[in-house]
Structure formats: C-alpha cells, structure tokens
Amino acid sequence: MPGFHLLNRYFVPLLLFSLCFSAVLLFSNTATLSQTPLSNSNSDSSLSLTETVRKTVLDNGLTVLTKEVHSAPVVTVQVWYKVGSRDETPGLNGISHQLEHLMFKGTTNRPIQFGRLLSALGADSNAFTSYDQTAYYNTVERDKLEALLILEADRMQNAQINSEQLATEKGVVISELEGYENDPGYRLDREIMRQVFPNHAYGLPVGGTKEDVEGFTLEQVEDYYRTYYRPDNATVIIVGDFETDAVLKAVNQHFGTIDAHQSGKDGGVGAGLTDNIRHQTDNLPKPALPGESGGVGAGLTDNIRHQTNNLTKPAPVERLEDGKNFVILEQPGSAALVQVVYPLPNVTHPDVPAIDVMDYILTSGRSSRIYQALVESGLASDAGGYAANFRDRGWYALFVTTDPGEDLTAIAQVLQEAIASLQTQGVTEAELNRAKAQLKAELILENRDVTSQGFQFGANHTTAGDYRFTDQYLAAVAQVSSQAVQRVAQAYLTPQQRTVGFFQPTQIQDEPSHGIGQFSKTSEHFYGESPVDPAEVAQYLPPGVTDATLTTTQPLPERLTLTSGLQVLLLRDRSTPTVTLTGYIKAGRANDPPQKSGIAELTADNLMNGTQTQDALTLAQRLDDRGIDLDFYTVREGTFITASALSADLSSLIQPLSDVLQRATFPPDQLELSRQRALTDLQIELDDPASVAQRTLAQTLYPQNHPFHHFPTLESLSQITRDDVVQFYQTYYRPDRTILTLVGDFNPQEVRSLLDQEFGNWTATGKPPQLTVPAVQLPPNTVRVNRVLPGKSQSVTLMGNDAMNRTDPRYYAGLVLNQIIGGDTLASRLGSVIRDRLGLTYGIYSYFKPESMMVSL
C-alpha cells in the first residue's frame, strides 16, 4: 500500500517516501544476523552481526556488499545511492523523490515500464527516498539474480527521462503528496520540522512540496540524475542464496564498465551541476545543540501560529512558559495531537547508544514511563516516541493522541515532567536492563529476512559510512550505564531546546455527510487502451530468463491437535535465533451483536489487562523484560495473535499467551480506559477517507441484517458492558476455535511438551458457535455513495461487489485474475494505464478476498 516507512515502534514520522508501498528502515534499531547463536545476556561486546559480509570496491568506485544466506532459495539485490532530500534546497525540494519515480520509466535500451520487467521476474520490488539516500530493492528466486544485475546496471547509466514522462510522473507525485495531506499528523510534523531545522534540509519534507514539484524542469532532473546516479556514489547489496565469487564476477561484468566520470563534467560527485540546482546544505547554519550558541529556533517569534484560512478557530492554546518554539494547527480533524521534538547529534556521535536506551525507557512498551503517565492514566489514547539519527543531525520526537477536549498544554507538561523525573532521579537497573533487552531483541527480530538485512547494510553504509556500524552500536549499547542515560537526558531534553506542536481539531462529527444516487449506467469514460503484450515485455528481459520457476523441496509444517481441540502448526527454521508465533481465533467483528458493534475488538484489546495470576503491569513487565512482542488485533471474521521473541525466550512467550487466552479477568477500570481509547480511535477512523470509504462500501453492499454490515459507532461502544465482554470471551475464545502457528529456531519435542503443559487443560463445553453468512444479491443498477469529509485534499474511491466464497473451486483462478487486473501498482492493467500512462493517481489497486472484490483508487 502507498505510504510512509516506519522509523520506530509506534509512530509514523513521515520521513521516507516509497514508489509503491511501505517498507521498514530503522536505522539505529535494526541489525543484520549472523549464523552464530546470539547470547541472551546484555553483554554483546563480542557479538558480530556482519562477520560474514564481504565488501568489494570495483575500479570505478562502486561498492559491493555481499552476504550468503542459504536458508531459502531467494536473493535480494539492492542499489543504494548517496543522495536524498539532504542534498536539496528550497525550490528543488522533492527532486530526489521525483527522480526515484522516473527511474521506473525505462531506459534507452529498454523503453518499457521497469515495473513490468521486474514483475515478469516475479520480483518483490520497490524503491524509497529518505534524507540521506535513495534505494531500489528487488527480491527474487536465486536464478533471477543476474537478470536483476543487468536491469539495475542499465538504469544506473541509461535512464530514459523526457518531458512527457516528467509531466505524467509529476501528477503521480502530487497525488501522493495530496494523500499525505489528508493526515493531520503529517501536517503537524511538517510544520514542526521546519522550526526545528529552519536552515537545514532536514527541515524540508522528504517528498517535496506541490509548488516545487510543479516547477521541476527537465534540465534540472537530468542534471540531478547525471550528478548522483554514478557507480562511485552507489552501493550494490546482495544477500541470499548464491556463491559469492560467481556473483562478484557478474557484478563486475555488468557494473564495472560504467564510467564513474561520464555523468559529471569535471569528475567527482556533484561535478557538472548547473547553477540552479547547486546544493549548499553543508554550508547552511546548523541548529545549535547543547553547549553551542544560539539554540534551536533562535530568532523565531514568540508564537508561531499556523492557521488554515476560513476555518472557525477555537479558543487559542495558552503560550508555553518555558520556550519560544511551538506550532499550533487549527484545522478540521478528529483527535487532538501533541508532538514535541528535540534536536540530537548525528548517527556516529558517541551519545547515540545512550540516547536510544533512554528512548526505550521513556516510550517502549506498556511499562514505559510515558505510556504509564499518559495512556494508563487515561489522559491519552496513544503516546510514544522515537530517536532519529542521520548523517548530519538527528532529533528526538514524542507524540500524544488524545480527545479534543483535553488541555494540550497540560499534556505537554506531563511529558516534560516525565523527562524531568528521569533527569533528576535517574533510572533503575531494572529499567536499564529492560531497555537493553528490548533494543537487542528488536534489532534481531526485525531482520529475519534477506531484504531487511540488505536494508540495514545500506542504511549503515550510506548514513554512518560503515556497513559494520551496527556491530559497534550494539557493543556500545551493552556498555551504557544508568548514569549515561541520565546525562544525555539532561543534555538534550531541555525545555529551551524543544519545539512543541499542537493540533486542535475545529470540526468534529460522528458520521461524515453523504449522498446516495442510483444510476442505470455510469458516466465514466474508460480508456480503450490495449493490454500490455507479453511479447513486448519478453523482448526486453535479460537473456536466459524463462518462465520456469525453481524446483525446490520446502518442508511442510508439523500439524498437531491437542486433546483440547487446539490446532498447532510447527515449522522449524534455524536460520536466525528467533521464533515467530501467529494465531487465529474465530472471534471477529462479524460475531458482534448489531446494537453492540465493537465488542469483539474491545475484548481483544482487554486480554492483556490482567489475569487471575497477574495484573496488567506485571504482565507487561514480564514481556518487556525479554523484549517480547505479543499483540492481538481483530478483523471481520477473527482475531489474530502476533508474537515474536528470541529463541531462548520461547517459554516466556507461551506462558503469558496461555494465561490471557484462558484466564483473562477484564478489570472494570482497564475496560473503561480501553473504551475511551476505542472511542478516540473511532473518531480518527471516521476522519480518514480510506476507512470511511471501506465502511461505506461494506454497508452499501450488505443489508442491515447481514453480519458484514455492522461497524462500531460511538453509541454501540458506549453500550457495551463488562458482562458483555466476559460473555463474548467465554463464548468465542475456545481451543476448538483457535489455531497457533510457530516458526523458528526451537526443539520440536520441547515445544510439544511446553504446549501440552500450557494448553492441555484448556477446555470448552458444548458445540462451538458457527457464523452464518447469508447470500447477497447485487443491485440491478449501479449505486454511488459520496461521503464528504471537511479539510481533505484528496478523495478516495472504492468500487466493488460481493464475490465468491473461499471454498469456491474458482477461488485460486480469481487470485490470478486479480493480480492481472490490479494486483501490482505498475505492472497490472489498472496501474499501467491509470497511473503509469495517464498519471491520474499515485495508487490504484484491486483487492480480491474470499468475500469481496474491490478496486481502490
């Protein structure tokens, strides 16, 4: 799906822009994995996560990083360029992102949409732009590796950029930016970053602005390409199932002939730039850090108020007493937002490990200080933070989502008090050890596949200047003391350094306004362009590529059924010292009584609020101490369980899972807090065009007596009692309605014994309840429903109807059909015409599910 890349555990910081969908780039908090077992202690001074990586530099300056991983017959090929929004100036903001889009338009050798070529290889492909880099990544079966090398070498030197393509892709980028503008959090973050970095490119939005994008000229984009897309400014990363010597020979064959100086006039990166795109960010004044003169935001007016014209303003927020820098947005929206940002040093600064440990103590997990102070107290529905460190500078951001009626100044004061307590009283050894365990586990767990490992190499090399940076970072984290945490908090999180942002919603409505019309025919004009000829794609594929897929023997999971009826699937994978657990309980929203819609989700949200043996905080601390993630989320027909842990901590995951599934107590006070969070989340959902469109489509397709018609409302959530939740739990949370799947590095015999011990006595009485889904007749005419949300810059359109059941023999043929129609944003029929050729939208997809088929624009 289109969107942003997550930088940390809770928050979308709006930093990275992808061509098609989201991916994860977590610079200081991800790692690559070696094949050697990892110690479960906090002392990782001897741990090397990059010991099997090989670095090669070709004669033309191209850096090549390779790592063999033979756990699956796949390989990732990535090309990272050291250019991003850091290299831009006002007026050319977003040109890195614009060029990223144009790199998929084909080359002089292959004048065809590259998405079609990559799709023909069966590649999982995309690209993203960040502050310090632009990257292109592709993951395929191992026999397609050389084909990817050929394609990436081609577009490094022969990209086809012309006026028509630039005009079309400008429209796509502007559509992308308008989509982000729908999110109040994006708008608030953008304004705050401008104040934190008024004289540095990190204060500019990575994706650019509509005004700058509209002004890009062909000459500017071509010069930018020739200047930065060169072998001596690039890194090729290959991770997966291959033989290193053979692959390096192929890399040298395809990339080694590219002249490092052919793009610039005088040689060296940056040579040959025209005056109108000469970037001077290194010479701009930097925001001051502690100990420097000036201070962030020096010279700003006392009250920076950003308002939208013609909007009704509520009473102004009171001025903060301890600093000059704050931003107020008063615009249509749902929930109120608070964001606080402090400047930090760059990624290689020796204080970064202690800063990250401090961040985990403040914001990571339910037991963290800020979560306890704001969410558990009922002041906020969500709170968290992240530390970002890049090539030049960094920042620490804290964020809070709360009800519109809350005093935002008071919320900001609670944040400051939590920080002040850490600064004056320090941290406990338990907190320190918990934070280190969480950080280490997160590093390992988020890099279990070859693509993620490639991301970490690329981020380390392009931002920190050394692909081995994470090794040094982990060793430094292990040495962080409680005194160091207190010191960095005192140094960087001062009131004088912070910039505070408030988002005050001006229009709140329970339901969006809407209109319904029925028409005998539609009035749209459909372009009668011919579908892509497979022969056209085939002629541009690298030689030797066939439609044949690798014949490999993959192990099947072992299937167990316990005496209680619980089904378990076990698949051993020893490639990383981790375990992943996924579960499914047939307890979804379709089981909600219509007048109490939301009970399934409220039940799942309260599972972790205490059991007969431990309260919520004790349970949270047990998991946080080991860096274990355990979550529940509800969909239409069921509730999913997602969990991950280090292998050594498997029993510490299974035991609390068993406890909450069998012995949850649903304390009344915690239930009320969950209800308030659910009401705030609903307000946010009703302010999101995509969510409103999905709700509207379902309620238009399915009649009121259908289980798929009903969605939570403010009224239905308010009517749910604790007895309702307990009854739902007792009715639907049964072993014979539950499936658990465990994949990872474990001993099957020990796991079977553990599961028998923890789940063997889970019992259920009577027959399990069954969900009845009646058939739906399609309307005789086209039905159009238009719901209006104020303050949105981009509309979302869904088209769909009822579809086949998963047991239908045509189901898998339907999945293939969907992939052809709109399963890929660039290579599908919808994407190739509406996005690529006409540039009418950033994202258009079709989704095929067992119950419905829809097209999303």
Side-chain angles (χ1 to χ4, degrees):
M1 59 184 294
F4 309 113
H5 301 248
L6 291 177
L7 182 72
N8 213 324
R9 299 170 299 283
Y10 308 106
F11 184 62
V12 179
L14 322 173
L15 308 181
L16 312 174
F17 284 69
S18 69
L19 181 70
C20 305
F21 56 86
S22 297
V24 174
L25 178 65
L26 178 60
F27 183 72
S28 291
N29 295 332
T30 52
T32 55
L33 302 178
S34 67
Q35 299 300 312
T36 56
L38 301 181
S39 167
N40 194 41
S41 71
N42 282 329
S43 179
D44 291 319
S45 58
S46 62
L47 175 63
S48 174
L49 302 177
T50 58
E51 60 185 356
T52 61
V53 176
R54 181 169 169 181
K55 178 182 178 181
T56 305
V57 181
L58 304 187
D59 291 341
N60 59 7
L62 179 73
T63 299
V64 185
L65 301 176
T66 55
K67 179 183 178 182
E68 295 184 24
V69 178
H70 300 290
S71 58
V74 295
V75 62
T76 186
V77 175
Q78 305 178 9
V79 182
W80 290 60
Y81 295 94
K82 293 180 181 178
V83 60
S85 63
R86 171 189 176 275
D87 301 283
E88 299 168 2
T89 53
L92 285 170
N93 181 208
I95 194 170
S96 303
H97 178 227
Q98 182 71 73
L99 179 56
E100 174 215 313
H101 278 245
L102 290 166
M103 289 292 286
F104 284 82
K105 288 294 191 177
T107 67
T108 54
N109 296 327
R110 295 176 174 84
I112 185 173
Q113 164 58 247
F114 255 50
R116 297 175 201 156
L117 298 177
L118 297 170
S119 179
L121 296 178
D124 180 7
S125 301
N126 215 320
F128 66 81
T129 303
S130 183
Y131 291 97
D132 296 336
Q133 60 274 119
T134 303
Y136 303 82
Y137 54 97
N138 317 272
T139 302
V140 294
E141 293 177 303
R142 63 189 177 202
D143 62 333
K144 307 297 194 305
L145 190 160
E146 187 167 7
L148 287 179
L149 295 178
I150 293 172
L151 293 178
E152 290 294 355
D154 189 15
R155 66 175 169 179
M156 178 182 284
Q157 57 188 323
N158 301 313
Q160 179 178 257
I161 303 172
N162 57 46
S163 298
E164 181 181 355
Q165 292 169 340
L166 178 58
T168 299
E169 211 61 28
K170 279 184 181 181
V172 172
V173 169
I174 290 171
S175 173
E176 180 181 0
L177 297 178
E178 289 175 343
Y180 300 143
E181 289 287 338
N182 282 349
D183 181 8
Y186 170 82
R187 302 196 298 271
L188 180 62
D189 181 84
R190 180 186 59 197
E191 298 302 322
I192 291 173
M193 293 304 292
R194 286 175 177 170
Q195 308 310 321
V196 176
F197 297 105
N199 299 313
H200 193 282
Y202 288 167
L204 303 174
V206 173
T209 64
K210 180 179 179 180
E211 294 75 20
D212 282 6
V213 170
E214 289 175 335
F216 295 154
T217 68
L218 181 61
E219 180 187 17
Q220 289 171 335
V221 176
E222 287 178 333
D223 281 351
Y224 206 80
Y225 170 65
R226 289 194 301 267
T227 299
Y228 291 106
Y229 279 59
R230 346 159 20 107
D232 54 344
N233 196 48
T235 303
V236 172
I237 300 169
I238 307 170
V239 183
D241 191 17
F242 60 86
E243 299 297 329
T244 301
D245 290 341
V247 163
L248 287 176
K249 181 178 179 180
V251 172
N252 191 56
Q253 176 186 349
H254 301 300
F255 286 90
T257 58
I258 302 175
D259 186 356
H261 305 295
Q262 65 183 1
S263 300
K265 295 178 181 179
D266 301 314
V269 175
L273 281 176
T274 57
D275 290 339
N276 61 342
I277 63 167
R278 191 171 303 279
H279 304 288
Q280 301 171 336
T281 55
D282 288 339
N283 299 320
L284 292 174
K286 305 294 191 298
L289 288 172
E292 301 175 348
S293 62
V296 176
L300 291 177
T301 57
D302 287 350
N303 190 348
I304 304 169
R305 188 175 299 277
H306 301 272
Q307 299 175 339
T308 301
N309 292 334
N310 303 321
L311 295 179
T312 303
K313 309 297 190 300
V317 179
E318 294 182 5
R319 181 182 179 279
L320 299 176
E321 295 181 356
D322 53 16
K324 296 180 179 180
N325 308 329
F326 67 98
V327 174
I328 303 172
L329 289 182
E330 297 169 331
Q331 298 173 355
S334 52
L337 306 175
V338 177
Q339 186 173 342
V340 182
V341 178
Y342 303 83
L344 293 178
N346 69 14
V347 68
T348 59
H349 194 282
D351 282 345
V352 165
I355 290 170
D356 286 345
V357 173
M358 174 198 71
D359 169 46
Y360 275 67
I361 291 171
L362 287 173
T363 70
S364 180
R366 186 170 185 171
S367 63
S368 64
R369 292 194 178 192
I370 286 177
Y371 192 93
Q372 287 290 314
L374 285 167
V375 180
E376 291 293 331
S377 68
L379 291 175
S381 63
D382 190 23
Y386 67 92
N389 302 96
F390 291 96
R391 181 175 170 181
D392 290 344
R393 292 283 169 159
W395 59 90
Y396 187 54
L398 298 170
F399 59 91
V400 181
T401 303
T402 188
D403 292 330
E406 292 289 345
D407 183 343
L408 300 190
T409 303
I411 295 289
Q413 185 60 34
V414 172
L415 284 175
Q416 186 58 38
E417 288 171 358
I419 291 170
S421 175
L422 190 153
Q423 292 169 326
T424 57
Q425 301 176 28
V427 300
T428 67
E429 284 299 311
E431 287 180 307
L432 182 69
N433 292 333
R434 182 181 305 133
K436 289 183 179 181
Q438 289 175 306
L439 195 156
K440 173 186 169 183
E442 192 168 322
L443 282 165
I444 297 171
L445 290 167
E446 291 187 350
N447 287 269
R448 286 167 287 180
D449 61 271
V450 295
T451 303
S452 298
Q453 293 182 41
F455 285 169
Q456 190 58 53
F457 294 139
N460 282 345
H461 187 69
T462 56
T463 292
D466 188 349
Y467 72 92
R468 298 164 299 184
F469 173 77
T470 301
D471 289 349
Q472 305 156 19
Y473 170 79
L474 277 177
V477 166
Q479 300 303 314
V480 170
S481 65
S482 57
Q483 292 80 9
V485 172
Q486 185 177 16
R487 177 183 60 79
V488 295
Q490 293 169 345
Y492 296 105
L493 305 189
T494 65
Q496 294 75 23
Q497 291 286 330
R498 69 176 183 165
T499 298
V500 179
F502 297 146
F503 177 82
Q504 284 277 30
T506 58
Q507 291 179 262
I508 304 297
Q509 50 189 27
D510 295 348
E511 294 287 347
S513 60
H514 64 277
I516 300 177
Q518 295 194 14
F519 304 87
S520 60
K521 64 178 182 180
T522 61
S523 60
E524 294 88 346
H525 172 66
F526 293 98
Y527 292 84
E529 300 198 31
S530 300
V532 177
D533 185 352
E536 179 187 0
V537 176
Q539 69 175 312
Y540 293 118
L541 285 174
V545 175
T546 68
D547 293 333
T549 57
L550 288 173
T551 301
T552 59
T553 301
Q554 296 294 323
L556 294 176
E558 178 186 3
R559 182 169 183 172
L560 308 175
T561 301
L562 305 186
T563 55
S564 61
L566 176 69
Q567 296 184 57
V568 181
L569 300 175
L570 301 177
L571 182 61
R572 193 177 191 185
D573 178 1
R574 306 190 67 181
S575 61
T576 64
T578 64
V579 288
T580 300
L581 183 145
T582 301
Y584 184 80
I585 307 166
K586 296 178 182 179
R589 292 192 299 262
N591 300 111
D592 289 349
Q595 65 274 28
K596 294 190 177 182
S597 293
I599 191 172
E601 194 159 4
L602 200 59
T603 302
D605 289 345
N606 277 269
L607 290 173
M608 301 292 289
N609 281 337
T611 70
Q612 296 171 11
T613 61
Q614 55 194 327
D615 61 19
L617 183 57
T618 302
L619 180 59
Q621 287 176 337
R622 284 186 59 189
L623 296 171
D624 291 345
D625 284 345
R626 299 284 186 171
I628 298 173
D629 288 326
L630 174 59
D631 295 298
F632 300 83
Y633 68 93
T634 302
V635 295
R636 187 163 65 184
E637 296 184 51
T639 291
F640 279 97
I641 307 167
T642 61
S644 56
L646 299 181
S647 302
D649 297 323
L650 178 58
S651 62
S652 298
L653 164 62
I654 297 296
Q655 290 166 358
L657 174 62
S658 170
D659 200 15
V660 299
L661 288 180
Q662 299 180 66
R663 293 175 286 275
T665 54
F666 305 100
D669 58 338
Q670 292 288 346
L671 181 62
E672 286 308 309
L673 289 175
S674 294
R675 187 201 312 276
Q676 291 304 312
R677 290 194 291 268
L679 290 169
T680 301
D681 290 343
L682 178 59
Q683 292 277 28
I684 296 173
E685 180 182 329
L686 294 176
D687 188 52
D688 175 51
S691 298
V692 172
Q694 292 170 2
R695 176 182 287 230
T696 302
L697 177 64
Q699 293 185 325
T700 305
L701 282 174
Y702 303 110
Q704 288 192 0
N705 62 349
H706 197 283
F708 296 167
H709 177 89
H710 301 285
F711 287 80
T713 65
L714 301 181
E715 182 181 7
S716 69
L717 287 172
S718 300
Q719 292 180 353
I720 298 172
T721 67
R722 179 181 178 276
D723 289 342
D724 295 328
V725 171
V726 172
Q727 181 63 39
F728 188 92
Y729 176 71
Q730 294 173 344
T731 301
Y732 294 102
Y733 281 69
R734 303 165 49 112
D736 51 3
R737 292 175 62 89
T738 303
I739 299 174
L740 298 180
T741 300
L742 190 65
V743 179
D745 184 15
F746 55 79
N747 182 304
Q749 183 175 354
E750 293 178 359
V751 169
R752 288 193 292 269
S753 176
L754 177 62
L755 292 173
D756 280 332
Q757 174 184 331
E758 295 298 330
F759 291 101
N761 295 324
W762 191 9
T763 60
T765 58
K767 294 183 178 181
Q770 299 296 321
L771 177 65
T772 301
V773 180
V776 174
Q777 297 296 321
L778 294 179
N781 301 318
T782 300
V783 177
R784 294 180 181 175
V785 180
N786 179 39
R787 290 197 164 183
V788 179
L789 296 179
K792 303 303 176 184
S793 60
Q794 185 183 70
S795 63
V796 174
T797 300
L798 293 182
M799 298 179 288
N801 56 47
D802 195 42
M804 68 186 74
N805 187 282
R806 190 184 181 106
T807 59
D808 193 300
R810 302 168 297 172
Y811 174 67
Y812 292 102
L815 291 179
V816 176
L817 172 65
N818 174 70
Q819 186 65 23
I820 295 170
I821 293 175
D824 187 291
T825 191
L826 293 177
S828 67
R829 292 193 178 189
L830 288 172
S832 64
V833 174
I834 297 176
R835 171 178 165 152
D836 188 47
R837 296 181 190 175
L838 302 177
L840 296 178
T841 182
Y842 170 61
I844 180 166
Y845 313 90
S846 62
Y847 303 87
F848 185 87
K849 297 181 180 180
E851 304 84 16
S852 64
M853 181 172 185
M854 66 180 68
V855 176
S856 173
L857 294 93

